[in-house]
Amino acid sequence: MREGQKSKKGIFISLEGIEGTGKTTQARLLSERLVEKGYEVMLTQEPGGTVIGNRIREILLHVDHREMSYMTEFLLYNAARAQHLSEKILPALNQGKVVITDRFTDSTIAYQGYGRGIDIELLKSIDLIATGGIRPDLTILFDLDVETGLQRNKGINKVDRLELEEIEFHKKVREGYLKIAEAEPDRIKTVDASLPLKDVSEKVWEIVRWRLGI
Ligand code: TMP
């Protein structure tokens, strides 16, 4: 366990889901609502969140990097996460901020574990090295059928290396997320992302208010 974790004062929230669920928009809306209520918020994303993390993100998502092995991909996500935690997430939590991250470890379990087929126990052991066992206090999973999600992203011309995967890959990722959520019902709350944007944001707000006790 890392030093920082012991003195952690803030609240750590992660948002998860397959492509096109609208979680990035929801992250922004949630952040704005919390700021209105007087919370200090740090909104961030994975892979990324730091200069080094963004460089790793470019390598990971570049459409030309099709030859990347699954193990390289997996280790790079972990490398970006280790940097993100030490440089941004832990300092913000130690300052008492609410940290909202668009993706965290559950993405690796869903995409590299259930999607790519890397052994889940192996993923967890490397995660322990990268994160020191730090978990979000609350995770919101935006669930949506794969076809709708990919269609939504096409609509906004968003294409990266993982989005170019076969539909079967994305279906495995979605199923993986649902299994992860089922195994940890206290931490992970699932929201139906097929609802209108406003209804989704109301559900997110209800969950966060409940978790913060406000
Ligand atoms: P984004 O487009 O939601 O920012 O996510 C970038 C892509 O990276 C998305 O396809 C999901 C994928 N991803 C993984 O495969 N494993 C991970 O650990 C993370 C954080 C993201």
Side-chain angles (χ1 to χ4, degrees), residues 23-38:
K23 70 184 161 39
T24 306
T25 306
Q26 294 297 336
R28 184 175 45 77
L29 293 173
L30 174 60
S31 163
E32 286 168 6
R33 270 186 137 156
L34 285 167
V35 169
E36 266 171 35
K37 289 271 175 205

Side-chain angles (χ1 to χ4, degrees), residues 112-131:
Q112 280 65 54
Y114 288 97
R116 300 299 198 201
I118 300 178
D119 178 67
I120 305 284
E121 290 311 309
L122 176 70
L123 298 191
K124 288 186 176 165
S125 64
I126 301 295
D127 176 71
L128 197 59
I129 296 171
T131 68

Side-chain angles (χ1 to χ4, degrees), residues 26 46 63 73 83 85 133 141 145-146 155-156 158 165 176 183 185 188 191 198 201 204:
Q26 294 297 336
E46 289 206 355
V63 286
E73 178 183 286
Q83 186 65 30
L85 263 173
L141 170 61
D145 72 86
V146 168
I156 56 168
K158 184 175 179 295
E165 283 293 334
I188 308 177
V191 170
K198 202 167 178 316
S201 71
V204 170

